[in-house]
Amino acid sequence: ARAGARVVSTWDFGVPANRAAWALLGPGGKALDAVEAGVQIPEADRANHSVGLGGYPDRDGHVTLDASIMDGDGRCGAVACIERIVHPIRVARRVMEVTPHVLLVGEGALQFAREQGFHEQDLLTPEAEKAWHAWMKEAKYRPVPNSENRDYHQSLGLPGGKHNHDTIGMLAVDAHGHLAGACTTSGMAWKLHGRVGDSPIIGAGLYVDGEVGGATSTGVGEEVIRNAGSFLVVELMRQGRSPQEACEEAVRRIVKKRPDGAKELQVGFLALRRDGAVGAFAIQHGFTYAVCDADSQDRVFGSPSVY
Ligand code: SD4
């Protein structure tokens, strides 16, 4: 039997994002439209330092964004290292719909966005700039994963540090049984200019197969790319694992490959099977995800973890 519509997303900031997605899903809208609308909430939120506007810059002061979108029928689009556009997810969808390509990067992605009529603006907020200057003073010149950045943020006395802010990955199934997913981030704070994470890489930060389900990830993108994480989760579900078992196996594979047991790293996976079943698993304690359906719009769950 087909379950009703449902949308899930990473972290507690997924709650308002899910609500925006639900405004379309609830009345019978398409999963693809819902996820595109939902992730635009954190993209436009200045107080969120790991997605879109207000995101922390790279070590040279550029805010560069990564985003991808995928439909259950296999269509997908993405942009990586794009600057000056508040809603990279909308550009990703245009890449999917009006070009023969899947992924546009950097200057070329910005040029395409301009041609498509997107408005440009400076994405570096005074607050993010202040954090960048403070980081430069410490002169470590070392990128920090967003999941570790919380304490750092708090130590600077900046607001927002108490929350688990990171990439938003969102997966939805609509009332017609169609699946879609979206993923968007400003990536790792203080990263090298040009660094691309997992979020815009189809199969790493996001993967959706309408016959099976979808998966998305958050945390240190390099580890997710190395292990083709979201594709792995979906393939494991195809082979019969539950969404929970699939997320756990993908996390354990990352941990197993690290000589230090990934004690310092955070990676979390979130999966939605086509029947609406949800799973999540992370390396570190503290990963949360939000679930929204006809029964309840703003539930947040703590994911189980290795540590
Ligand atoms: C990335 N998964 O770009 C994203 C977000 C991040 O620490 O930086 N997490 O790797």
Side-chain angles (χ1 to χ4, degrees):
R2 179 186 293 162
R6 174 173 273 186
V7 58
V8 298
S9 55
T10 56
W11 303 110
D12 41 9
F13 62 30
V15 169
N18 282 354
R19 279 184 173 268
W22 190 254
L24 296 169
L25 271 186
K30 286 188 183 145
L32 187 68
D33 296 329
V35 295
E36 184 193 18
V39 301
Q40 286 182 52
I41 301 299
E43 278 185 342
D45 183 357
R46 292 172 165 268
N48 179 328
H49 298 294
S50 58
V51 183
L53 180 66
Y56 282 148
D58 65 21
R59 68 178 187 178
D60 300 319
H62 304 277
V63 178
T64 69
L65 308 178
D66 293 341
S68 63
I69 191 161
M70 188 163 190
D71 189 80
D73 66 9
R75 290 180 305 145
C76 51
V79 289
C81 206
I82 189 171
E83 296 183 46
R84 302 182 57 76
I85 301 289
V86 177
H87 292 301
I89 198 65
R90 294 182 52 207
V91 186
R93 182 163 179 180
R94 295 282 177 89
V95 171
M96 174 175 107
E97 286 181 339
V98 310
T99 81
H101 310 306
V102 166
L103 173 61
L104 295 180
V105 306
E107 264 304 312
L110 178 58
Q111 185 186 323
F112 170 72
R114 276 189 197 122
E115 286 165 11
Q116 290 292 312
F118 283 85
H119 164 75
E120 274 178 69
Q121 78 179 77
D122 190 358
L123 301 180
L124 185 65
T125 58
E127 203 189 340
E129 191 173 13
K130 183 180 162 198
W132 174 54
H133 283 144
W135 170 77
M136 281 198 297
K137 239 178 262 158
E138 288 189 8
K140 284 188 208 147
Y141 215 53
R142 185 181 70 89
V144 183
N146 282 328
S147 44
E148 285 171 31
N149 222 24
R150 258 169 296 152
D151 302 339
Y152 173 78
H153 202 119
Q154 273 173 309
S155 74
L156 292 174
L158 293 169
K162 286 177 212 77
H163 305 290
N164 296 327
H165 281 171
D166 202 293
T167 306
I168 184 153
M170 177 179 279
L171 304 163
V173 57
D174 63 30
H176 315 284
H178 294 303
L179 288 160
C183 186
T184 178
T185 188
S186 55
M188 194 182 274
W190 338 126
K191 61 194 175 184
L192 270 66
H193 185 57
R195 181 263 188 186
V196 172
D198 56 327
S199 306
I201 308 296
I202 297 299
L206 178 68
Y207 197 73
V208 182
D209 183 325
E211 290 183 355
V212 180
T216 189
S217 63
T218 177
V220 182
E222 282 74 3
E223 296 304 317
V224 179
I225 294 172
R226 259 194 265 286
N227 292 278
S230 290
F231 181 76
L232 176 59
V233 172
V234 172
E235 284 307 297
L236 288 166
M237 288 196 286
R238 189 195 305 278
Q239 292 163 24
R241 308 279 184 104
S242 70
Q244 187 58 42
E245 289 164 345
C247 290
E248 181 159 347
E249 169 64 23
V251 164
R252 296 218 182 266
R253 204 166 293 187
I254 290 171
V255 169
K256 205 168 80 186
K257 283 188 184 167
R258 299 278 307 194
D260 63 352
K263 288 205 172 58
E264 306 294 322
L265 291 175
Q266 176 64 309
V267 169
F269 288 104
L270 178 62
L272 177 68
R273 203 166 57 192
R274 63 177 297 222
D275 66 356
V278 180
F281 201 74
I283 303 178
Q284 310 294 336
H285 179 75
F287 174 43
T288 58
Y289 61 99
V291 179
C292 173
D293 54 31
D295 295 333
S296 168
Q297 263 91 78
D298 48 14
R299 277 169 295 168
V300 175
F301 297 93
S303 163
S305 58
V306 177
Y307 298 114

